[in-house]
């Protein structure tokens, strides 16, 4: 019976090709829009997750809330001795820690001047932020403890300043905290990042970046306002940062609510929630077009019922039950909607795939979303086909046979 109804439905659709295509158009646009928007949202969430994995999900920043406390004091700043004490207390739970020190200045080599951002790091920073060292060496413990004016930079920065990737042994002059010094390049690294990562991390064509010992950036008084840490990957981050906050509060004679902890996992969660909510909201707006498509199906099915009144009368006169006629028209409306849904999925996934290919990013199209879209489009067809099918099923066979 089902196969017979489907054959009759396809026959009716073929008999009115253009009308059927125009009827399905609303469903095609609605499903295609929903699939595209949800997939773009999931792809963006995935890209942000990958971005945070690259920069370190376990990292965090800690400082006393100077903008909250009324009695800010010098002791609210951190010292190198206090940082060493933190290392000893938490041991292996901390994979890396430094003073979160950074500076910006012009790097000068001959007649070339390039704006540089200098990040102060410890010798083991590569353990949490690995890079591909292509020339020379990384900063070592002697550089850190001896406050040596050595630097490690990426290949792009080396090309901008020196005109060559292999800048090992070359020196440049810069001013940090009012002190003019010459720095020697001891290593050049390459870190491949996607176009999306370059965009989000502010990759600039006009500036360079380099790592220097963090001890230089805390000199001369060795006070700094913020701790930069990476927790070990096997720790419970919520528990770790709670205990870390409590310890820093005691160390600084403050209450835990006066200590500011900013973690990458919190930021990642906030962005993920925002992206998910935005994707859901825009997807919901796009889904409104499905209702418009459903109304179109109802309209065309009502026309079909009117045109086929005599056919309905003959079927009922030959013994077709009310339920049989109703199922026949419901099947036709469901097939119309499902076909529109399948076309919408193909168009939506195709557009997302082409966009991902053009931008060089992997796209995320969840099978569950595709299945839901097909099911939903079929349900739209059934829902909006109920009234026309009911009208056809309830028609009087005598009146139907007399219809011209």
């Amino acid at each position: 019976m089902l196969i017979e109804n489907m054959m009759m439905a396809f026959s009716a659709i073929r008999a009115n090709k253009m009308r059927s295509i125009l009827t399905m158009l609303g469903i095609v646009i609605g499903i295609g829009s929903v699939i595209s928007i949800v997939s773009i949202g999931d792809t963006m969430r995935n890209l942000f997750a990958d971005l945070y994995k690259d920069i370190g999900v376990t990292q965090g920043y800690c400082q006393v809330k100077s903008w909250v406390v009324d009695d800010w004091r010098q002791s609210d700043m951190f010292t190198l001795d206090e940082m060493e004490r933190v290392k000893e207390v938490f041991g292996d739970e901390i994979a890396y820690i430094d003073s979160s020190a950074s500076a910006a200045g012009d790097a000068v080599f001959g007649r070339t001047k390039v704006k540089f951002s200098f990040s102060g790091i410890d010798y083991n920073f590569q353990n949490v932020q690995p890079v591909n060292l292509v020339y020379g060496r990384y900063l070592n413990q002697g550089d850190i403890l001896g406050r040596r004016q050595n630097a490690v930079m990426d290949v792009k920065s080396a090309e901008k300043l020196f005109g060559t990737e292999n800048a090992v042994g070359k020196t440049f002059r810069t001013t940090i905290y009012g002190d003019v010094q010459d720095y020697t390049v001891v290593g050049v690294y390459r870190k491949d990042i996607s176009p999306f990562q370059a965009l989000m991390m502010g990759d600039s064509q006009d500036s360079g970046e380099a790592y220097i010992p963090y001890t230089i950036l805390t000199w001369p008084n060795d006070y700094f306002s913020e701790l930069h840490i990476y927790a070990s990957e096997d720790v419970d981050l919520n528990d770790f940062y709670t205990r870390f906050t409590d310890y820093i509060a005691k160390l600084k004679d403050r209450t835990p609510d006066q200590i500011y902890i900013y973690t990458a996992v919190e930021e990642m969660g906030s962005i993920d929630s925002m992206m998910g909510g935005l994707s859901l909201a825009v997807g919901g707006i796009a889904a409104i077009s499905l209702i418009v498509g459903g109304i179109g199906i109802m309209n065309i099915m009502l026309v079909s019922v009117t045109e086929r009144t005599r056919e309905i009368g003959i079927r009922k006169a030959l013994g077709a039950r009310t339920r049989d006629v109703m199922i026949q028209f419901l099947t036709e409306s469901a097939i119309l909607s499902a076909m529109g849904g399948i076309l919408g999925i193909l168009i939506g996934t195709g557009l997302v795939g082409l966009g991902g290919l053009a931008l060089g990013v992997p796209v995320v199209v969840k099978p569950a979303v595709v299945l839901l879209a097909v099911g939903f489009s079929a349900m739209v067809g059934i829902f909006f086909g109920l009234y026309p099918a009911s009208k056809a099923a309830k028609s009087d066979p005598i009146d139907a046979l007399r219809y011209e």
Side-chain angles (χ1 to χ4, degrees):
M1 188 68 179
L2 178 61
I3 295 175
E4 182 183 348
N5 283 327
M6 291 180 67
M7 291 176 64
M8 292 173 65
F10 281 117
S11 177
I13 291 171
R14 281 196 302 270
N16 299 279
K17 295 184 182 67
M18 183 56 67
R19 190 170 71 182
S20 299
I21 290 171
L22 293 175
T23 302
M24 289 188 292
L25 193 58
I27 301 296
V28 170
I29 294 172
I31 292 295
S33 300
V34 171
I35 291 289
S36 299
I37 291 168
V38 173
S39 296
I40 290 171
D42 289 336
T43 298
M44 292 297 292
R45 293 169 73 180
N46 192 56
L47 288 173
F48 273 109
D50 288 342
L51 176 62
Y52 277 97
K53 285 178 183 176
D54 285 340
I55 66 175
V57 176
T58 67
Q59 74 169 309
Y61 296 85
C62 176
Q63 66 180 106
V64 176
K65 294 179 180 177
S66 57
W67 59 93
V68 171
V69 297
D70 296 326
D71 58 335
W72 188 89
R73 46 188 183 258
Q74 182 72 26
S75 60
D76 288 332
M77 302 283 283
F78 293 98
T79 66
L80 294 178
D81 288 339
E82 287 175 334
M83 190 167 72
E84 289 300 320
R85 203 180 312 167
V86 170
K87 285 184 186 178
E88 293 175 3
V89 169
F90 289 92
D92 293 339
E93 290 184 285
I94 294 180
Y96 175 83
I97 186 170
D98 66 32
S99 62
S100 186
S102 63
D106 290 332
V108 180
F109 174 73
R111 294 184 177 181
T112 305
K113 181 187 291 186
V114 179
K115 292 185 180 297
F116 258 70
S117 59
F118 300 100
S119 300
I121 63 168
D122 206 345
Y123 71 95
N124 60 339
F125 187 59
Q126 192 168 0
N127 294 342
V128 292
Q129 285 291 286
V131 293
N132 177 23
L133 202 65
V134 290
Y135 303 107
R137 64 172 177 83
Y138 208 67
L139 296 177
N140 58 36
Q141 196 167 12
D143 295 325
I144 308 301
L145 297 177
R147 303 180 195 265
R148 295 172 186 162
Q149 276 125 13
N150 290 336
V152 176
M153 63 179 61
D154 67 294
V155 291
K156 291 182 180 179
S157 299
E159 285 180 338
K160 291 170 190 171
L161 184 59
F162 301 106
T164 179
E165 286 187 0
N166 189 359
V168 174
K170 296 184 181 294
T171 61
F172 63 90
R173 179 166 295 177
T174 191
T175 303
I176 295 179
Y177 299 156
D179 187 19
V180 181
Q181 294 289 344
D182 289 333
Y183 284 78
T184 302
V185 179
V186 296
V188 179
Y189 68 88
R190 175 180 286 109
K191 188 169 184 179
D192 297 323
I193 59 176
S194 68
F196 175 78
Q197 290 174 318
L199 176 66
M200 295 306 299
M201 297 172 72
D203 187 34
S204 174
Q205 298 297 319
D206 301 323
S207 63
E209 56 183 34
Y211 293 133
I212 61 176
Y214 77 89
T215 46
I216 292 177
L217 296 177
T218 58
W219 188 258
N221 56 20
D222 284 343
Y223 279 98
F224 49 94
S225 62
E226 191 173 56
L227 288 175
H228 176 213
I229 59 177
Y230 281 78
S232 298
E233 293 184 354
D234 57 347
V235 304
D236 182 331
L237 291 178
N238 289 330
D239 175 67
F240 170 78
Y241 278 115
T242 298
R243 289 186 291 109
F244 191 87
T245 302
D246 291 339
Y247 177 77
I248 297 299
K250 291 179 182 178
L251 182 68
K252 293 300 179 184
D253 192 25
R254 293 290 186 182
T255 58
D257 62 291
Q258 293 176 322
I259 305 300
Y260 177 67
I261 292 284
Y262 179 72
T263 65
V265 71
E266 283 181 11
E267 183 177 357
M268 184 174 68
S270 298
I271 291 177
D272 186 69
S273 297
M274 180 187 69
M275 293 296 297
L278 185 62
S279 178
L280 186 64
V282 178
I285 294 171
I288 294 174
S289 60
L290 285 173
I291 299 175
V292 177
I295 294 171
I297 288 176
M298 178 187 287
N299 180 55
I300 209 65
M301 290 305 297
L302 284 170
V303 173
S304 181
V305 167
T306 302
E307 289 178 345
R308 294 157 66 185
T309 302
R310 190 171 181 81
E311 174 195 328
I312 295 168
I314 293 172
R315 286 200 66 196
K316 297 192 78 172
L318 292 175
R321 295 169 296 179
T322 300
R323 185 180 66 180
D324 296 331
V325 177
M326 188 168 186
I327 291 174
Q328 175 192 343
F329 282 90
L330 276 178
T331 302
E332 187 174 328
S333 64
I335 287 175
L336 267 175
S337 186
M339 287 174 65
I342 292 170
L343 286 174
I345 289 168
L346 293 175
I347 292 173
T349 54
L351 289 174
V352 172
L354 287 174
L357 191 64
L359 296 174
V361 297
V363 298
V364 178
V365 180
K366 294 181 178 179
V369 175
V370 174
L371 292 174
L372 183 63
V374 173
F376 187 70
S377 64
M379 291 301 295
V380 165
I382 292 173
F383 178 79
F384 284 97
L386 276 173
Y387 176 70
S390 175
K391 182 179 179 182
K394 292 177 180 178
S395 62
D396 185 90
I398 303 299
D399 293 335
L401 287 170
R402 289 176 179 169
Y403 184 81
E404 292 295 337

